[in-house]
Amino acid sequence: MSEKIILTGDRPTGRLHIGHYVGSLRRRVELQNAGGYKDMFVFIADAQALTDNMDNPEKVRQNVIEVALDYLAVGLDPEKVTIFIQSQIPELTELSFYYMDLVSVSRLQRNPTVKTEIQMRGFEGESIPVGFFTYPISQAADITAFKATTVPVGEDQKPMLEQTNEIVRRFNYIYGPTLVEPQILLPDNAACLRLPGTDGKAKMSKSLGNCIYLSDDAKTVDKAVKSMFTAPLHLRVADPGHLEGNTVFTYLDAFCRPEHFAEFWPEYESLDALKEHYQRGGLGDGKVKKFLGQILQQELEPIRTRRKEFEKDIPAVYDMLRKGCEKARAVAAATLDDVRRAMKINYFDDAELIAEQSKRFAAK
Ligand code: TRP
């Protein structure tokens, strides 16, 4: 069997939306179904969510189940993937504590994700909570505790993976080969890398109200598609349309497959042909939106239906999570044993140490 170990996670700060879906969830399900890996872990990063929601524990608590339901709804299968909750694995905090010795304050300050988040949240200078400031270190613990080789995430997580690899190299250099350097696995198409909100704004975000959630009903999705941002200069159907910044076409890049044309719009044979006509002029936004709506509904309908099923038995979802936590904990504990041995803090397991010291003190 391959030594590939896949791991990724999400902060439970809201339900998951189609940006998460094309950016990572869809890929995870493909990886899961392709098999050929040694282990796969997907987890809910509640402890990380608390680093900037410390005053809102109820929000995090309620969204743990929402994210778990979204995972099951998209087709993650607990028989094939270990799904767990970060805070239930105390080994992760212990690892983070040791890794803190390997990272400088200035290195954390240079982390671009931390930098922008600090600006976005309006933390200033010394008012930054230490836990928030050091979350890249905790993320390195999340990844290395499971000896993950492959981390499917969005582009925004690149600095976190770089930070993790630096910690791994430093650790292995000082204490001997113990930890594994992970590789990032990014979506392979630009539209999926960073799906804009329905308003064309940079990113889907709950506060901007520009999301389409995986759990939205059909009517809500239709409404969102109809109101989507397209091309401001495309006033009359006959006018040439523009693709740049045209959210409907960005979504088509992310969702449209060749067979959608045969099924919904046989007049065109490919997305390129459709784009060509749109740019030439004579193709109205309404028609393109209708096509996108059909594609989205087809993709989202089975997800919605599965979610409804899982919602009927919430205790079973918690049971699944509890089992996942138990399994994840055992794996993290084994890594922590390796780490303690490498760092020479495994006193009670080290018979040699005790024997050697006994001899030394007897000879005095
Ligand atoms: N930072 C990730 C996010 O914002 C969540 C996360 C926490 C994660 N730990 C991780 C992702 C480890 C991948 C690997 O969604």
Side-chain angles (χ1 to χ4, degrees):
M1 196 183 281
S2 108
E3 287 306 293
K4 195 151 117 180
I5 297 175
I6 304 162
L7 173 135
T8 188
D10 302 276
R11 295 179 181 205
T13 52
R15 290 175 291 146
L16 301 180
H17 50 61
I18 62 172
H20 296 113
Y21 184 68
V22 296
S24 172
L25 292 168
R26 186 167 63 181
R27 183 59 147 298
R28 294 178 206 177
V29 178
E30 283 165 15
L31 287 165
Q32 163 193 283
N33 295 337
Y37 49 82
K38 185 166 169 242
D39 244 326
M40 180 161 171
F41 300 92
V42 174
F43 73 98
I44 303 173
D46 62 336
Q48 187 176 104
L50 283 167
T51 63
D52 66 329
N53 289 278
M54 56 299 265
D55 50 355
N56 204 347
E58 195 56 31
K59 168 173 148 190
V60 173
R61 178 191 180 83
Q62 295 305 333
N63 281 306
V64 167
I65 189 74
E66 298 284 0
V67 171
L69 286 165
D70 284 328
Y71 285 168
L72 295 167
V74 296
L76 289 178
D77 175 358
E79 297 287 318
K80 297 181 185 146
V81 174
T82 305
I83 303 177
F84 68 93
I85 308 174
Q86 185 188 30
S87 63
Q88 304 307 297
I89 319 298
E91 285 77 9
L92 298 177
T93 17
E94 189 175 332
L95 273 181
S96 305
F97 189 69
Y98 302 140
Y99 294 170
M100 284 186 189
D101 298 333
L102 307 177
V103 184
S104 70
V105 169
S106 68
R107 176 61 184 89
L108 285 173
Q109 279 168 334
R110 267 186 286 121
N111 183 312
T113 311
V114 173
K115 245 181 173 164
T116 26
E117 284 181 332
I118 285 173
Q119 279 168 358
M120 250 163 51
R121 287 174 177 76
F123 289 142
E124 259 177 68
E126 279 151 30
S127 74
I128 304 164
V130 175
F132 173 78
F133 184 59
T134 54
Y135 93 77
I137 300 177
S138 135
Q139 189 154 337
D142 299 338
I143 296 170
T144 53
F146 302 92
K147 305 210 160 139
T149 59
T150 310
V151 182
V153 283
E155 199 181 23
D156 60 322
Q157 297 297 305
K158 235 182 185 165
M160 299 298 155
L161 270 285
E162 280 161 14
Q163 182 91 68
T164 301
N165 283 329
E166 276 174 43
I167 291 173
V168 170
R169 285 196 288 268
R170 192 101 210 274
F171 189 100
N172 290 346
Y173 176 73
I174 299 173
Y175 304 112
T178 312
L179 303 172
V180 177
E181 276 190 59
Q183 275 184 340
I184 192 168
L185 185 62
L186 293 168
D188 38 31
N189 129 358
C192 296
L193 215 49
R194 203 169 282 250
L195 197 76
T198 51
D199 56 357
K201 294 260 165 56
K203 211 175 160 180
M204 282 206 174
S205 109
K206 185 153 73 188
S207 52
L208 293 173
N210 61 0
C211 299
I212 296 178
Y213 292 99
L214 293 172
S215 46
D216 279 345
D217 60 31
K219 239 166 122 187
T220 309
V221 173
D222 266 338
K223 221 171 106 194
V225 172
K226 284 206 182 91
S227 70
M228 262 171 82
F229 182 80
T230 54
L233 301 176
H234 193 213
L235 298 177
R236 283 161 305 176
V237 172
D239 292 340
H242 300 275
L243 301 178
E244 189 135 331
N246 188 321
T247 318
V248 175
F249 278 93
T250 309
Y251 281 27
L252 284 175
D253 283 332
F255 282 96
C256 181
R257 292 187 302 268
E259 62 266 27
H260 289 136
F261 286 98
E263 189 168 356
F264 299 123
W265 213 356
E267 270 175 64
Y268 300 92
E269 59 178 21
S270 68
L271 190 52
D272 284 339
L274 180 68
K275 285 177 176 172
E276 199 272 317
H277 188 184
Y278 187 79
Q279 285 173 295
R280 197 169 4 110
L283 178 57
D285 286 340
K287 283 188 179 171
V288 190
K289 284 183 174 176
K290 184 174 162 220
F291 180 53
L292 174 65
Q294 287 169 312
I295 294 172
L296 281 181
Q297 297 293 7
Q298 190 184 55
E299 187 93 9
L300 296 178
E301 180 51 36
I303 296 176
R304 236 178 254 141
T305 311
R306 266 198 301 267
R307 198 184 207 273
K308 287 249 156 54
E309 276 310 301
F310 287 111
E311 284 173 359
K312 287 183 192 154
D313 195 353
I314 295 299
V317 179
Y318 275 103
D319 239 29
M320 176 282 287
L321 289 169
R322 191 170 40 74
K323 290 200 188 99
C325 289
E326 281 165 14
K327 157 129 199 243
R329 222 186 143 179
V331 177
T335 304
L336 193 56
D337 279 347
D338 296 343
V339 163
R340 287 164 162 251
R341 200 176 317 112
M343 294 180 74
K344 300 188 180 296
I345 51 174
N346 60 333
Y347 313 105
F348 306 128
D349 304 332
D350 194 345
E352 222 172 275
L353 167 79
I354 298 170
E356 182 266 312
Q357 289 185 341
S358 308
K359 237 193 274 165
R360 187 153 55 81
F361 282 101
K364 260 205 207 165

